[in-house]
Amino acid sequence: MLRAAAFARHLRSKEVVTTMNKIMSNKTATQEFATAGSQYKTAAAGVSGQPLVRISNLHKSYSPTVQVLKGLNLDMAAGERLVVIGPSGGGKSTLLRVMMGLEEVNSGSVNFAGQEYICADESKQKTKINLDVRKQIGMVFQHYTLFPHLTILQNLTLAPRKVRGESNASAEERGMALLTRFGLGAKANAYPNQLSGGQKQRVAIARALMLDPKLMLFDEVTSALDPELVAEVEQVIMQLAEQGMPMMIVTHDMWFAKNIASRVVFCAGGVVVEEGTPDEIFNAPKHERTREFLNRVFHI
Amino acid sequence: MSYSFDFSGLSQGYDELLDGLRITVELTIAANLIGVTFGFIVALLVMSKLKVVRIPAMLFVEFFRCTPAIIQIIWFFYCVPILFDVYLESITMGILALGLNLTAFNAEAYRAAIQSVPKEQHDAGIALGLSPLQRVLYVVLPHAVRSSVPVLITNGIGIFQQTALVAIVAIQDLMYQGKALATTTYRPIETFTLIAVIYFAISFPIAQLVQAIERRREVASR
């Protein structure tokens, strides 16, 4: 069984590496990426010298006894691809949900591009969220969360039309372009239940991209997928990475973490225990807890 | 069984039965119009955060759900005129009683459907920057209305059969005409069998439609 899993991982790595080589050898595509990449970099360039994201002293508890975040601090520079790993209940997903304004916090704050946009108001026990700043962040969830009553294309155009007041024609044109790029052009008029899990998740990524996010959050986006569908979703994220999209990824897929991360953060017990390059974390973890976690994950 | 059926005598009453059926269908359609629209409004009131709105709405729903329909009808016919000094045509009273009864049951159907919209759908709406009102309009309601359709139709068939109860307050519906025919022909078994067949012939195809919708949804959610 172990060997089979390792072999599957190996196959998958070859598959994705081949795709990435293909992407890189395709000149137009590379140029497109270069332009797109610079576009993302310009977005972050206005804040040179300071981190793209600064998470300060986040505390969050669901009840007096269940404390999920215990003073979490984390900085992310522009252009980084941060992968957050760690045991279940360690606060990884909660961190992303807080950054998206989906969870209240007890104390602490989050800055994006130099602006504080999430801040606990301890006197009122409420969390203040600056929506204009938060709208620059896109998120993809574990369970696709496509709107079942809308076609794929309508799923993509809903938010641009309603939130930004974009015209239907313009939103549909951008939506089709995005779907075609993700190999889903033929599915534009299908409904979510007619798609495979992998296709749904790619649509969910496209839907988030429709709002031109400056940062993408991926919360265990491949955890609910059948193993053979994981690669197609990871490839799409790899493509985005190639274009220079800053991203923060929570995943249990260590192979994926190793390959996409510019930096890996090990999160447990509601704090960041250790961070470093993929090589440092996976090959030479310093903390006992990190070692223990990786041992369990890799069944060594 | 030595009873021999003889339906031949019933033919003299066909016109009256047809008139009765027309009244029954009118009652059903009117009650459903009330139930489908006001049920939705009551469902929203029941889910309101304001107690002054929520509690009366809940009392309304529970009154109609927890008392027999026949008592509600009698109450409308005999008590409402005396207590509230309101005198309406008997058919209007029948429509009101049945319509409000259906309103209560449909309100519960809508409420269940709205509350069954998964939390992830709300999260996705928030993540895409939709405002609370936009999330309700474009995410929650389409979802909820669709999943409530089978229950609404089932409740609608239920009220179609409940209309038979208004015969006791002299509304000349299908049941009333049947009772009259049974008395004039001395053929109650044949008459009520025929009437049962008529109710069945209308309800059954609609019930099948509900099943078809549910089957389709099951396949779709796979």
Side-chain angles (χ1 to χ4, degrees), chain A residues 171-216:
Chain A
E172 281 187 358
E173 194 189 319
R174 290 197 305 124
M176 276 312 298
L178 210 49
L179 286 177
T180 311
R181 211 179 88 195
F182 283 5
L184 292 162
K187 300 286 182 186
N189 294 314
Y191 283 89
N193 61 42
Q194 295 167 301
L195 268 58
S196 74
Q199 292 172 328
K200 281 187 217 176
Q201 202 56 296
R202 283 186 283 157
V203 172
I205 295 171
R207 184 175 68 175
L209 291 176
M210 285 294 285
L211 294 167
D212 302 319
K214 307 284 183 287
L215 167 69
M216 283 291 289

Coordinates of all heavy atoms in Angstrom, one line a residue, chain A residues 171-216:
Chain A
A171 N -18.9 40.9 -18.4 CA -18.6 39.8 -17.4 C -18.6 38.4 -18.1 O -17.8 37.6 -17.8 CB -19.6 39.8 -16.3
E172 N -19.6 38.2 -19.0 CA -19.6 37.0 -19.7 C -18.4 36.8 -20.6 O -17.9 35.6 -20.7 CB -20.9 36.9 -20.6 CG -22.1 36.5 -19.7 CD -23.3 36.2 -20.5 OE1 -23.3 36.4 -21.8 OE2 -24.4 35.9 -19.9
E173 N -17.9 37.8 -21.2 CA -16.8 37.7 -22.1 C -15.5 37.3 -21.3 O -14.8 36.4 -21.6 CB -16.5 39.1 -22.8 CG -15.5 39.0 -23.9 CD -15.2 40.4 -24.4 OE1 -16.1 41.2 -24.5 OE2 -14.0 40.6 -24.7
R174 N -15.4 38.0 -20.1 CA -14.2 37.6 -19.3 C -14.4 36.2 -18.7 O -13.4 35.4 -18.6 CB -14.1 38.6 -18.1 CG -13.7 40.0 -18.5 CD -13.2 40.8 -17.3 NE -14.2 40.9 -16.2 CZ -13.9 40.5 -15.0 NH1 -12.7 40.0 -14.7 NH2 -14.9 40.6 -14.1
G175 N -15.6 35.9 -18.3 CA -15.9 34.5 -17.8 C -15.6 33.4 -18.8 O -14.9 32.4 -18.5
M176 N -16.0 33.6 -20.1 CA -15.7 32.6 -21.1 C -14.2 32.5 -21.3 O -13.7 31.4 -21.5 CB -16.4 33.0 -22.4 CG -17.9 32.6 -22.5 SD -18.2 30.9 -22.1 CE -17.3 30.0 -23.3
A177 N -13.5 33.6 -21.3 CA -12.1 33.6 -21.5 C -11.4 32.8 -20.4 O -10.6 31.9 -20.7 CB -11.5 35.0 -21.6
L178 N -11.9 33.0 -19.2 CA -11.3 32.3 -18.1 C -11.6 30.8 -18.2 O -10.7 29.9 -17.9 CB -11.8 32.9 -16.8 CG -11.0 32.9 -15.5 CD1 -9.6 33.4 -15.9 CD2 -11.6 33.7 -14.5
L179 N -12.9 30.5 -18.5 CA -13.3 29.1 -18.6 C -12.5 28.3 -19.7 O -12.0 27.2 -19.5 CB -14.8 28.9 -18.8 CG -15.7 29.3 -17.7 CD1 -17.1 29.2 -18.1 CD2 -15.4 28.3 -16.5
T180 N -12.3 29.0 -20.8 CA -11.6 28.4 -21.9 C -10.1 28.2 -21.5 O -9.6 27.1 -21.8 CB -11.6 29.4 -23.1 OG1 -12.9 29.8 -23.3 CG2 -11.1 28.7 -24.4
R181 N -9.6 29.1 -20.8 CA -8.2 28.9 -20.3 C -8.1 27.7 -19.4 O -7.1 27.0 -19.4 CB -7.7 30.2 -19.6 CG -6.2 30.5 -19.7 CD -5.9 31.7 -19.0 NE -5.5 31.5 -17.6 CZ -5.5 32.4 -16.7 NH1 -5.7 33.7 -17.1 NH2 -5.1 32.1 -15.5
F182 N -9.1 27.5 -18.6 CA -9.1 26.3 -17.7 C -9.6 25.1 -18.3 O -9.9 24.1 -17.6 CB -9.9 26.7 -16.4 CG -9.2 27.6 -15.5 CD1 -8.0 28.2 -15.8 CD2 -9.8 27.9 -14.2 CE1 -7.4 29.0 -14.9 CE2 -9.2 28.8 -13.4 CZ -8.0 29.3 -13.7
G183 N -9.9 25.1 -19.6 CA -10.3 23.9 -20.3 C -11.8 23.6 -20.0 O -12.2 22.4 -20.1
L184 N -12.6 24.6 -19.7 CA -14.0 24.3 -19.3 C -15.0 25.1 -20.2 O -16.1 25.2 -19.8 CB -14.2 24.7 -17.8 CG -13.5 23.9 -16.8 CD1 -13.4 24.6 -15.5 CD2 -14.1 22.5 -16.6
G185 N -14.5 25.6 -21.3 CA -15.3 26.4 -22.2 C -16.6 25.7 -22.6 O -17.6 26.3 -22.6
A186 N -16.5 24.4 -22.8 CA -17.6 23.6 -23.2 C -18.7 23.5 -22.1 O -19.8 23.1 -22.4 CB -17.2 22.2 -23.7
K187 N -18.3 23.8 -20.9 CA -19.2 23.6 -19.8 C -19.9 24.8 -19.3 O -20.6 24.9 -18.3 CB -18.4 23.0 -18.6 CG -17.7 21.7 -18.8 CD -18.7 20.6 -18.8 CE -18.0 19.2 -19.0 NZ -19.0 18.2 -19.2
A188 N -19.7 25.9 -20.1 CA -20.2 27.2 -19.7 C -21.7 27.2 -19.3 O -22.1 27.8 -18.3 CB -20.0 28.3 -20.7
N189 N -22.5 26.5 -20.1 CA -23.9 26.5 -19.9 C -24.4 25.3 -19.1 O -25.6 25.1 -18.9 CB -24.7 26.6 -21.2 CG -24.4 28.0 -21.8 OD1 -24.4 29.0 -21.2 ND2 -24.0 27.9 -23.1
A190 N -23.5 24.5 -18.6 CA -23.9 23.3 -17.8 C -24.2 23.8 -16.3 O -23.8 24.9 -16.0 CB -22.8 22.3 -17.8
Y191 N -24.8 23.0 -15.5 CA -25.0 23.3 -14.1 C -24.0 22.5 -13.3 O -23.5 21.5 -13.7 CB -26.5 22.9 -13.7 CG -27.5 23.9 -14.2 CD1 -28.1 23.8 -15.5 CD2 -27.8 25.0 -13.5 CE1 -28.9 24.7 -16.0 CE2 -28.7 26.0 -13.9 CZ -29.2 25.8 -15.2 OH -30.1 26.8 -15.6
P192 N -23.7 23.0 -12.1 CA -22.6 22.4 -11.3 C -22.8 20.9 -11.1 O -21.8 20.2 -11.1 CB -22.8 23.2 -10.0 CG -23.3 24.5 -10.3 CD -24.2 24.3 -11.5
N193 N -24.1 20.4 -10.9 CA -24.2 19.0 -10.7 C -23.9 18.1 -11.9 O -23.8 16.9 -11.8 CB -25.6 18.7 -10.2 CG -26.7 19.1 -11.1 OD1 -26.6 18.8 -12.3 ND2 -27.8 19.6 -10.6
Q194 N -23.6 18.8 -13.0 CA -23.2 18.0 -14.2 C -21.7 17.8 -14.3 O -21.2 17.3 -15.3 CB -23.8 18.6 -15.5 CG -25.3 18.6 -15.5 CD -25.9 19.5 -16.6 OE1 -25.7 20.7 -16.6 NE2 -26.7 19.0 -17.5
L195 N -21.0 18.4 -13.4 CA -19.5 18.4 -13.5 C -18.9 17.5 -12.4 O -19.5 17.2 -11.4 CB -19.0 19.9 -13.2 CG -18.8 20.8 -14.3 CD1 -20.1 21.0 -15.1 CD2 -18.3 22.1 -13.9
S196 N -17.7 17.0 -12.7 CA -16.9 16.2 -11.8 C -16.4 17.2 -10.7 O -16.4 18.4 -10.8 CB -15.8 15.5 -12.5 OG -14.8 16.5 -12.7
G197 N -16.0 16.5 -9.6 CA -15.4 17.3 -8.5 C -14.3 18.2 -8.9 O -14.2 19.4 -8.5
G198 N -13.4 17.7 -9.7 CA -12.2 18.4 -10.2 C -12.7 19.6 -11.0 O -12.1 20.7 -10.9
Q199 N -13.6 19.4 -11.9 CA -14.1 20.5 -12.7 C -14.8 21.6 -11.9 O -14.6 22.7 -12.1 CB -15.1 19.9 -13.8 CG -14.5 19.1 -14.8 CD -15.5 18.4 -15.7 OE1 -16.6 18.1 -15.3 NE2 -15.1 18.1 -16.9
K200 N -15.6 21.1 -10.9 CA -16.3 22.1 -10.0 C -15.2 23.0 -9.3 O -15.4 24.2 -9.2 CB -17.1 21.3 -8.9 CG -18.4 20.8 -9.4 CD -19.2 20.3 -8.2 CE -20.0 19.1 -8.6 NZ -20.7 18.4 -7.6
Q201 N -14.2 22.3 -8.8 CA -13.2 23.1 -8.1 C -12.5 24.0 -9.0 O -12.1 25.2 -8.6 CB -12.2 22.1 -7.4 CG -11.5 22.7 -6.2 CD -12.4 23.3 -5.1 OE1 -13.1 24.2 -5.3 NE2 -12.4 22.7 -4.0
R202 N -12.2 23.7 -10.3 CA -11.6 24.6 -11.2 C -12.5 25.8 -11.5 O -12.1 26.9 -11.6 CB -11.2 23.9 -12.5 CG -10.0 23.0 -12.3 CD -9.5 22.4 -13.6 NE -10.4 21.3 -14.1 CZ -10.5 20.9 -15.3 NH1 -9.9 21.5 -16.3 NH2 -11.3 19.9 -15.6
V203 N -13.8 25.5 -11.6 CA -14.8 26.6 -11.8 C -14.8 27.5 -10.5 O -14.8 28.7 -10.7 CB -16.2 26.0 -12.0 CG1 -17.2 27.2 -12.0 CG2 -16.3 25.2 -13.2
A204 N -14.7 26.9 -9.3 CA -14.7 27.7 -8.1 C -13.4 28.7 -8.1 O -13.5 29.8 -7.7 CB -14.6 26.8 -6.9
I205 N -12.3 28.2 -8.6 CA -11.1 29.0 -8.7 C -11.3 30.1 -9.7 O -11.1 31.3 -9.5 CB -9.9 28.1 -9.1 CG1 -9.6 27.1 -8.0 CG2 -8.7 29.0 -9.4 CD1 -8.5 26.1 -8.4
A206 N -11.9 29.8 -10.9 CA -12.2 30.8 -11.9 C -13.2 31.8 -11.4 O -13.0 33.0 -11.6 CB -12.8 30.1 -13.2
R207 N -14.2 31.4 -10.6 CA -15.1 32.3 -10.1 C -14.5 33.3 -9.1 O -14.8 34.5 -9.2 CB -16.2 31.5 -9.3 CG -17.3 32.4 -8.7 CD -18.4 31.6 -8.1 NE -18.0 31.0 -6.9 CZ -18.8 30.3 -6.1 NH1 -20.0 30.1 -6.4 NH2 -18.3 29.7 -5.0
A208 N -13.5 32.9 -8.3 CA -12.8 33.8 -7.4 C -11.9 34.7 -8.3 O -11.8 35.9 -7.9 CB -11.9 33.0 -6.4
L209 N -11.3 34.2 -9.4 CA -10.4 35.1 -10.2 C -11.2 36.2 -10.9 O -10.6 37.2 -11.3 CB -9.7 34.2 -11.2 CG -8.7 33.3 -10.6 CD1 -8.1 32.4 -11.7 CD2 -7.6 34.0 -9.9
M210 N -12.5 36.0 -11.1 CA -13.3 37.0 -11.8 C -13.3 38.3 -11.1 O -13.5 39.4 -11.7 CB -14.8 36.5 -11.9 CG -15.0 35.4 -12.9 SD -14.7 36.0 -14.6 CE -16.2 37.0 -14.9
L211 N -13.0 38.3 -9.8 CA -13.0 39.6 -9.1 C -11.5 40.2 -9.0 O -11.3 41.1 -8.2 CB -13.6 39.4 -7.7 CG -15.0 39.0 -7.7 CD1 -15.5 38.5 -6.3 CD2 -15.9 40.2 -8.1
D212 N -10.6 39.7 -9.8 CA -9.3 40.2 -9.9 C -8.6 40.3 -8.5 O -8.2 41.4 -8.1 CB -9.2 41.5 -10.6 CG -9.8 41.5 -12.0 OD1 -9.5 40.5 -12.7 OD2 -10.5 42.4 -12.3
P213 N -8.6 39.2 -7.8 CA -8.0 39.2 -6.4 C -6.5 39.5 -6.5 O -5.8 39.2 -7.5 CB -8.2 37.8 -5.9 CG -8.4 37.0 -7.1 CD -9.0 37.8 -8.1
K214 N -6.0 40.2 -5.5 CA -4.5 40.4 -5.4 C -3.9 39.3 -4.5 O -2.7 39.3 -4.3 CB -4.3 41.8 -4.7 CG -5.0 42.9 -5.4 CD -4.4 43.3 -6.7 CE -5.0 44.5 -7.4 NZ -6.4 44.1 -8.0
L215 N -4.7 38.5 -3.9 CA -4.2 37.4 -3.1 C -5.3 36.3 -3.1 O -6.5 36.6 -3.0 CB -4.0 37.9 -1.6 CG -3.8 36.8 -0.5 CD1 -2.5 36.1 -0.7 CD2 -3.9 37.4 0.9
M216 N -4.8 35.1 -3.3 CA -5.8 33.9 -3.3 C -5.6 33.1 -2.1 O -4.4 32.7 -1.7 CB -5.6 33.1 -4.5 CG -6.2 33.7 -5.8 SD -8.0 33.7 -5.8 CE -8.4 32.0 -6.0

